[in-house]
Amino acid sequence: MDLRHRPRRLRRTPALRRLARETRLHPADLIAPLFVEHGRGVRTPLPSLPGQTRWSPDTVVEEAQRLAGLGVGAVILFGLPAQKDARGTSGFDPAGPVPEALARLAKATPDLVLMADVCLCEYTDHGHCGVLAGGDVDNDATLPLLAAEAVAYARAGAHVVAPSAMMDGQVAAIRGGLDAAGLSTTAVLAYSAKSASAFYGPFRDAAGSTPGKGDRKGYQMDFANRTEALREVLLDVEEGADAVMVKPAGPNLDWIADAADAVDVPVAAYQVSGEYAALHAAADRGWLDLDRAAQETLVAIRRAGARWILTYFAGHAAEALRSGRWDRG
Ligand code: PBG
């Protein structure tokens, strides 16, 4: 057979496959989500997120040091407050678990980028991402609360604040709040295109942030829309976002590709709790190989155009990359 084109020529040996590989992961591009509550010595396993833990401000330092040692680029903190109210005011309490953890991390892990999620849903008693007015989430009344939360986290030591409430104008409100507080060097990573997704289930379990009534479809995006996702990304860049995010990652690879083509700021993607938990559940049943499936999903997210990946596999991936397990042909 005289075949001129034989793509298999470059797949013949591990060394050729390695040379031909178009997409690589690097631990520095990975961002590990961490859950923090008040207290000391806390290491409570999260049942819906196998291998993930609820930390207190002292123990989270140890975990962050471990991740930094593996070369992970950043951590993003989520708070589990002692008290919740209708306006989510514990979110901007300077004595809350996230500010306390940030202050400790700023000293203990100078090489790690510190990010903090900014949203009301973990702090409101009704579980919505904004304040309610007549049963609906009031966009403009929520903005100053998000700005106050961002300022509290930036003051405590966050290098990057990441608003995830999907309120219109949240990036501009936070940028304005930070600048007015003399925090013009704090960056904003906007959860720009975030869909109303079934894949947040395990996170809401972990954070106790399931809305008491209703759903988030009035503010999170319809997962059926592609043009609108790009619009959300462009609006956030316009409002001053230093980086943008697509979420969830795996179900929205086209959103990632569109964003990467359209903007000149870093595009991040969040492989969310349900994506992680689903792989674990299937692997537990012996239906797939967790390590290989995790690698494949992360490479796909990177290949679509994400520069940064938020993933509960961050530590696992960094270890696999460091040992060479994940870059072999
Ligand atoms: C807060 C927030 C959520 C997630 C990140 N930030 C929950 C939600 O929107 O319901 C989900 C992360 C995950 O599922 O891993 N708004």
Side-chain angles (χ1 to χ4, degrees):
M1 207 40 152
D2 182 15
L3 269 181
R4 180 134 64 122
H5 297 289
R6 289 185 184 270
R8 287 186 54 190
R9 287 183 194 119
L10 294 183
R11 293 179 205 145
R12 197 159 53 84
T13 70
L16 280 164
R17 289 195 290 274
R18 185 158 178 267
L19 190 68
R21 183 157 304 134
E22 298 175 36
T23 309
R24 285 196 170 83
L25 298 167
H26 195 285
D29 299 323
L30 302 176
I31 302 168
L34 297 173
F35 298 90
V36 198
E37 65 182 30
H38 280 292
R40 292 290 174 266
V42 176
R43 300 167 185 281
T44 313
L46 292 164
S48 57
L49 284 169
Q52 303 296 308
T53 306
R54 294 168 69 140
W55 309 98
S56 44
D58 54 337
T59 55
V60 81
V61 167
E62 293 163 32
E63 175 65 356
Q65 283 170 332
R66 184 184 76 85
L67 293 166
L70 289 167
V72 167
V75 294
I76 180 163
L77 300 189
F78 294 90
L80 308 165
Q83 263 134 42
K84 303 191 184 203
D85 61 24
R87 292 165 49 80
T89 54
S90 55
F92 50 88
D93 177 359
V98 169
E100 193 196 332
L102 286 167
R104 286 171 177 258
L105 291 168
K107 286 198 196 120
T109 52
D111 296 335
L112 202 58
V113 174
L114 304 180
M115 302 188 174
D117 181 85
V118 175
C119 193
L120 297 195
C121 66
E122 295 127 79
Y123 305 100
T124 50
D125 50 17
H126 45 72
H128 277 287
C129 302
V131 290
L132 298 179
D136 219 8
V137 170
D138 184 335
N139 192 88
D140 297 10
T142 301
L143 296 178
L145 298 169
L146 294 173
E149 194 179 327
V151 166
Y153 298 163
R155 279 206 179 114
H159 305 111
V160 180
V161 290
S164 65
M166 286 300 282
M167 295 298 121
D168 294 335
Q170 65 182 9
V171 171
I174 286 172
R175 184 71 272 154
L178 290 169
D179 292 351
L183 297 161
S184 59
T185 58
T186 306
V188 177
L189 162 60
Y191 285 72
S192 303
K194 171 175 175 182
S195 66
S197 170
F199 286 92
Y200 308 146
F203 172 96
R204 291 183 188 171
D205 232 37
S209 63
T210 308
K213 247 197 270 168
D215 53 42
R216 302 209 204 288
K217 290 181 183 161
Y219 42 104
Q220 296 183 343
M221 265 190 58
D222 184 341
F223 56 72
N225 298 352
R226 183 168 181 172
T227 312
E228 188 189 353
L230 181 57
R231 179 170 187 234
E232 285 280 9
V233 165
L234 295 174
L235 285 172
D236 282 353
V237 172
E238 187 73 27
E239 288 180 32
D242 300 284
V244 293
M245 194 203 297
V246 166
K247 177 185 167 193
N252 299 307
L253 296 176
D254 55 338
W255 295 4
I256 297 173
D258 287 353
D261 277 350
V263 302
D264 54 9
V265 298
V267 174
Y270 197 148
Q271 181 181 52
V272 302
S273 57
E275 299 178 83
Y276 173 86
L279 294 184
H280 268 277
D284 281 352
R285 295 180 175 207
W287 291 348
L288 51 73
D289 181 295
L290 183 68
D291 185 64
R292 289 175 52 213
Q295 180 189 24
E296 188 172 330
T297 56
L298 293 173
V299 168
I301 292 162
R302 186 93 177 81
R303 192 190 65 227
R307 298 238 310 257
W308 304 342
I309 306 176
L310 295 87
T311 174
Y312 302 93
F313 287 117
H316 177 121
E319 184 273 312
L321 289 164
R322 167 170 275 226
S323 68
R325 192 167 81 237
W326 274 17
D327 224 348
R328 296 224 178 101

